[in-house]
Amino acid sequence: MRIGKIDPVRVLITTSPGLGHLFPLVPLAWALRSQGHQVLVASTGGAVPAAVAAGLPAVDVAPGANVQQIFLHFARFPARTSDPGAANPVRESAAMFARVSDVTVDGLLDVARAWRPHLVVHSLFQGAGPLVAARLGVPAVQHGIALTGDTTAGELLRRHMADSYRRHGVTGAPPALLTVAVAPPSMRVGDPADRQIRYVPYNAGGELPEWLWTPRERPRVAVTLGTVVPRLSGWDTLRTLLAAAGEVDAEFVLVLGEHGTPSPDLLPGNVRTAGWIPLNALLPVCDAVIHHGGAGTLMAAVCAGVPQLVLPHGADQFRNAQAVQERGVGLVSSPQQADAALVERLLADHTLRRAAEQVRAEVEALPSPADLVPELVALTER
């Protein structure tokens, strides 16, 4: 029994390798550490150096594994369906992320046995987390990453990972003791969660250019394709939009990181290439954002309260785009039909801006990740 003070607990945070799955959990990891608890991030691929860059201790549980090949095998860029908006992102993602989770199971279990966590917090599609928690007999918490929440996700992953469960002698992992959602309630897709916390946009660090703070006379529009789409298709899907940008009286900031950014001499004079700028720093000084529909970008835009034009390419981006349109915080188009008139509407439609500001207020009214920490600690006492 703890008397007088709370003893530190050890929390193993495990996510799928994508940055879009790691970044939403970083604020909770910081909150745990700031309250004196120990955190270890366990993943593989690009998530490991990203966690280290966030100031968190991390371990690669599948060094040398080619998880990128698994993603490429399942990827739909562009989508190969005639009705992408009707797709179920949870069902379609389960097989892919179960394959990735299988790759991490053995290493994650080895790390967990050595580190002996009191609690496992796993991202929505990290199927190895519940297995390891069940094997060690410690509680598991499922942490959402964006809009989607679905109680069937865990069961679907377990079915696809049946061999791993048998191999490790786990006859069945109980559902997470706690499910945590980060989506604004009015935009959440799927089942309700046990707890709702505020999404705190984390997009890694970056040196901010001076022009970002210089007074401007025209509207500013951020344009990004996230981290995955540029690796798969470069910037080619933005050709129509960027050509149309020259017809719009606005400043455009093209943020594509290091993947296929076009040479400035190929762009209209009002389009600026910016490499990597954290979206949580860029979007608050923009009037709108145009993006691919990735979860992290969408949520950063929601938190900034700016209207969005979504150009979905594949995966869950069509479902995300549908949620943006239905809530009235933005517009949706195919990349090939994003013309000047659509961009001008994005900037001029006060209804979109009003709805975006309402959802931002909705997010800001939610409990912070730090408010969740006492409940997570209490789970370890059961």
Side-chain angles (χ1 to χ4, degrees):
M1 178 177 180
R2 297 184 175 101
I3 300 176
K5 69 182 184 69
I6 297 177
D7 296 331
V9 301
R10 293 186 297 276
V11 181
L12 182 65
I13 295 180
T14 182
T15 75
S16 301
L19 299 186
H21 292 238
L22 169 71
F23 282 1
L25 277 73
V26 169
L28 179 61
W30 284 345
L32 284 159
R33 295 193 71 191
S34 70
Q35 296 187 35
H37 303 293
Q38 298 178 39
V39 169
L40 179 63
V41 176
S43 188
T44 191
V48 176
V52 172
L56 300 170
V59 61
D60 192 335
V61 294
N66 191 357
V67 293
Q68 187 65 26
Q69 193 61 40
I70 298 174
F71 287 131
L72 289 173
H73 175 75
F74 284 90
R76 296 185 173 188
F77 296 98
R80 298 190 299 268
T81 173
S82 59
D83 187 14
N88 184 321
V90 173
R91 189 181 307 116
E92 293 191 347
S93 298
M96 176 175 68
F97 283 107
R99 186 85 60 86
V100 174
S101 298
D102 278 329
V103 170
T104 67
V105 164
D106 293 350
L108 183 62
L109 186 55
D110 288 343
V111 167
R113 281 170 168 158
W115 197 63
R116 295 180 300 165
H118 301 104
L119 176 70
V120 174
V121 176
H122 61 90
S123 56
L124 176 63
F125 290 109
Q126 170 49 309
L131 189 159
V132 168
R135 187 69 182 84
L136 269 61
V138 299
V141 171
Q142 176 183 290
H143 193 295
I145 55 176
L147 301 183
T148 300
D150 197 311
T151 55
T152 65
E155 179 58 33
L156 288 171
L157 287 166
R158 283 191 288 275
R159 290 179 192 172
H160 286 295
M161 296 175 64
D163 289 344
S164 288
Y165 272 82
R166 281 193 294 268
R167 183 158 48 85
H168 288 291
V170 179
T171 56
L177 279 182
L178 195 69
T179 57
V180 179
V182 293
S186 66
M187 294 185 69
R188 182 169 168 80
V189 177
D191 303 320
D194 298 319
R195 297 293 178 271
Q196 179 86 48
I197 63 172
R198 185 187 318 152
Y199 185 92
V200 178
Y202 169 78
N203 309 111
E207 183 176 355
L208 304 183
E210 184 178 354
W211 57 260
L212 198 64
W213 310 110
T214 302
R216 53 194 171 90
E217 298 179 353
R218 297 191 292 181
R220 177 182 288 149
V221 181
V223 181
T224 181
L225 291 176
T227 58
V228 176
V229 175
R231 282 205 306 269
L232 298 177
S233 60
W235 65 278
D236 284 359
T237 57
L238 291 176
R239 286 184 181 273
T240 300
L241 170 70
L242 294 176
E247 305 172 28
V248 180
D249 185 18
E251 168 193 343
F252 292 81
V253 180
L254 181 60
V255 183
L256 294 181
E258 301 175 354
H259 302 286
T261 301
S263 172
D265 59 6
L266 299 178
L267 301 173
N270 61 337
V271 177
R272 181 197 302 269
T273 57
W276 176 271
I277 298 181
L279 291 181
N280 57 323
L282 174 62
L283 296 187
V285 291
C286 289
D287 298 280
V289 58
I290 301 172
H291 64 94
H292 59 303
T297 307
L298 184 155
M299 293 298 292
V302 163
C303 293
V306 295
Q308 310 176 41
L309 170 56
V310 185
L311 313 175
H313 287 62
D316 63 343
Q317 296 164 15
F318 292 96
R319 178 65 67 88
N320 291 340
Q322 182 180 350
V324 165
Q325 191 171 47
E326 289 180 351
R327 183 57 182 84
V329 297
L331 307 172
V332 177
S333 172
S334 70
Q336 297 76 24
Q337 295 177 323
D339 57 14
L342 193 62
V343 177
E344 288 172 347
R345 179 185 168 193
L346 177 70
L347 290 168
D349 192 329
H350 296 295
T351 303
L352 298 177
R353 188 166 306 281
R354 188 159 49 249
E357 291 171 351
Q358 289 170 352
V359 176
R360 176 178 61 185
E362 185 181 332
V363 170
E364 292 174 349
L366 294 171
S368 76
D371 294 327
L372 183 66
V373 171
E375 186 166 4
L376 297 185
V377 172
L379 290 179
T380 69
E381 298 175 332
R382 294 186 182 181

